[in-house]
Each structure stands twice: as C-alpha cells, then as structure tokens.
Amino acid sequence: MLERKATRLVADDPDYLDLVRMQMSFVDQMRRIYTLAKRIAKVALPPGIAQKD
C-alpha cells in the first residue's frame, strides 16, 4: 500500500493530491473498523470460534 501511495504522488493532475488524501483516509478508516470488529469478536464470540492473534 505504501509503495502504491509513493508512486501515485507523481501525477500531474492538480486535484490528484486531494484524491490521494481521500483514498488514504478511507483506507485508514477501514483499518480502524477492521481492528475494532476483531476486538469485539474476541470478546463477544465463544472462545472456539474467535481466532486469537
């Protein structure tokens, strides 16, 4: 993901940085949702079903 982010910053479109910022923000938010869902699953699901890291 970071490699893609670095290569995409060379675009010539003037609105491109805004688009990249929006995409990276979306990815960060999805990562936070995934992490929260994982934590909730560990607490809420029976021990045999929830995977432990």
Side-chain angles (χ1 to χ4, degrees):
M1 178 59 110
L2 293 176
E3 182 180 333
R4 175 185 158 107
K5 182 179 174 182
T7 57
R8 296 190 43 106
L9 288 175
V10 297
D12 294 330
D13 184 8
D15 296 326
Y16 196 70
L17 283 179
D18 290 333
L19 178 61
V20 170
R21 284 185 189 116
M22 184 173 43
Q23 289 174 345
M24 292 302 115
S25 175
F26 177 76
V27 169
D28 289 339
Q29 290 172 8
M30 295 306 293
R31 185 181 305 128
R32 291 180 69 200
I33 291 169
Y34 173 75
T35 303
L36 179 60
K38 229 169 73 169
R39 290 175 62 197
I40 290 171
K42 285 181 183 179
V43 172
L45 294 177
I49 297 175
Q51 293 181 349
K52 305 280 182 178
D53 286 341

